[in-house]
């Protein structure tokens, strides 16, 4: 996965928003077509800035690298980025690893990094495998843990839980599109003009996880429920959808769409 050349494709946009005292949402979007309708789909990443250390969950798409770099520099304000946590080795999630590693030479790439040396052989000494449940202590205000990627695109997909901020970062899980031109790129789910439904969820499933049409997704949905009992979250942060600040209301709708999309 090469570093970005700085070019941004037509129809792209980048926004950011602070979610908690320690967490920022970097909301990269692409404008796409759904029939005759234009919609936006997120390519998001997240910065968790603890009192002692900082982590980036997913890296953002290379099309957004210049904007991400500028925002990171401002937020870190002279601090380093300690941890780069790609949820899986796919371009929207890991495509800026090289750029981030060059910008922050003291950083390490952590998670299920079993094959990342194939993409980034020069970074092999900075790849650190972190087992599920092992904490990454960013300070008393932010403690991250790698948790199983229940809805996973690749075999080494991971999710991340912030036990202090009660945020669950779910990678390709619970994605959905939003309307182009509606100003919804950095809206929380409760702020959107209309609640996303099956169509918005299927739009992302078809593009990010087409394999999910061929399996029984009810098992994965139950596994998510069980995971969230062990790792409670008030906020669910997907890579391909608006940040979900009303999971009790919205997750049942997105879960039902996934079950209906697959084999029953």
């Amino acid at each position: 996965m090469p570093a970005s050349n700085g070019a941004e494709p037509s129809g792209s946009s980048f926004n950011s928003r602070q979610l908690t005292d320690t967490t920022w949402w970097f909301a990269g979007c692409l404008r796409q077509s759904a029939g005759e309708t234009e919609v936006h789909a997120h390519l998001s990443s997240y910065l968790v800035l603890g009192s002692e250390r900082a982590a980036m969950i997913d890296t953002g798409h290379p099309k957004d690298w210049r904007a991400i770099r500028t925002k990171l520099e401002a937020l870190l304000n002279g601090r380093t980025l300690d941890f780069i946590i790609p949820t899986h080795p796919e371009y929207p999630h890991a495509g800026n690893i090289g750029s981030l590693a060059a910008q922050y030479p003291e950083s390490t790439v952590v998670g299920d990094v079993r094959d990342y040396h194939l993409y980034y052989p020069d970074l092999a000494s900075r790849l650190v495998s972190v087992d599920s449940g092992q904490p990454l202590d960013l300070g008393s205000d932010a403690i991250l843990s790698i948790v199983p990627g229940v809805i996973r695109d690749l075999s080494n997909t991971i999710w991340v839980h912030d036990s202090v901020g009660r945020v669950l970062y779910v990678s390709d899980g619970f994605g959905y599109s939003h309307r182009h031109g509606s100003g919804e790129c950095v809206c929380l789910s409760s702020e959107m003009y209309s609640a996303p439904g099956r169509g918005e969820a299927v739009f992302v499933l078809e593009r990010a996880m087409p394999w999910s049409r061929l399996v029984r997704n009810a098992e994965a949905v139950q596994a998510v429920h069980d995971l969230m009992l062990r790792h409670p979250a008030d906020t669910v942060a997907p890579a391909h959808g608006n940040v979900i600040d009303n999971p009790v209301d919205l997750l049942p709708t997105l879960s039902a769409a996934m079950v209906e999309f697959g084999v029953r």
Side-chain angles (χ1 to χ4, degrees):
M1 287 176 284
S4 169
N5 62 8
E8 294 189 8
S10 175
S12 68
S13 65
F14 178 85
N15 298 273
S16 62
R17 175 173 179 171
Q18 186 170 1
L19 297 175
T20 71
D21 289 343
T22 59
T23 307
W24 281 260
W25 173 20
F26 291 177
C29 279
L30 276 178
R31 190 172 71 223
Q32 300 182 23
S33 295
E36 297 182 356
T37 303
E38 286 189 341
V39 299
H40 263 194
H42 281 102
L43 304 167
S44 294
S45 57
Y46 299 90
L47 173 68
V48 185
L49 186 56
S51 57
E52 298 179 19
R53 284 168 285 277
M56 188 90 170
I57 300 170
D58 279 335
T59 71
H61 195 284
K63 76 174 181 66
D64 295 317
W65 168 242
R66 288 183 296 181
I68 290 171
R69 179 181 60 193
T70 298
K71 191 66 180 177
L72 267 178
E73 288 176 348
L75 291 172
L76 290 170
N77 192 26
R79 294 175 55 176
T80 189
L81 182 66
D82 298 277
F83 301 116
I84 303 168
I85 313 176
T87 58
H88 58 291
E90 202 174 51
Y91 210 51
H93 306 268
N96 280 326
I97 285 179
S99 297
L100 285 167
Q103 187 77 13
Y104 301 99
E106 297 178 7
S107 63
T108 55
V109 182
V110 301
D112 188 341
V113 295
R114 70 183 83 168
D115 55 0
Y116 284 72
H117 65 286
L118 301 174
Y119 300 104
Y120 299 104
D122 294 344
L123 299 179
S125 64
R126 295 167 62 183
L127 304 175
V128 178
S129 292
V130 175
D131 295 332
S132 179
Q134 182 176 339
L136 295 172
D137 190 346
L138 308 186
S140 60
D141 53 353
I143 301 175
L144 305 182
S145 296
I146 306 300
V147 298
V150 178
I151 300 172
R152 53 184 159 186
D153 191 13
L154 299 177
S155 61
N156 57 339
T157 295
I158 60 169
W159 288 2
V160 181
H161 181 246
D162 181 351
S163 60
V164 179
R166 291 173 61 95
V167 182
L168 182 63
Y169 301 90
V170 295
S171 188
D172 283 351
F174 299 116
Y176 56 95
S177 62
H178 58 284
R179 292 176 295 173
H180 166 62
S182 63
E184 292 187 333
C185 292
V186 283
C187 284
L188 302 177
S189 57
S190 66
E191 300 168 340
M192 298 178 73
Y193 294 107
S194 59
R198 184 182 185 280
E200 288 78 14
V202 167
F203 180 86
V204 171
L205 287 170
E206 288 177 335
R207 289 156 179 79
M209 297 189 295
W211 56 265
S212 62
R213 186 181 290 278
L214 307 176
V215 299
R216 298 184 188 279
N217 294 317
E219 297 175 3
V221 167
Q222 181 60 48
V224 172
H225 174 77
D226 296 341
L227 177 76
M228 293 186 71
L229 291 177
R230 300 191 302 272
H231 302 283
D234 301 318
T235 303
V236 174
H240 305 308
N242 294 66
V243 170
I244 300 169
D245 66 329
N246 56 345
V248 172
D249 297 326
L250 185 54
L251 290 193
T253 298
L254 299 177
S255 297
M258 189 172 184
V259 171
E260 292 174 8
F261 185 71
V263 175
R264 286 177 285 169

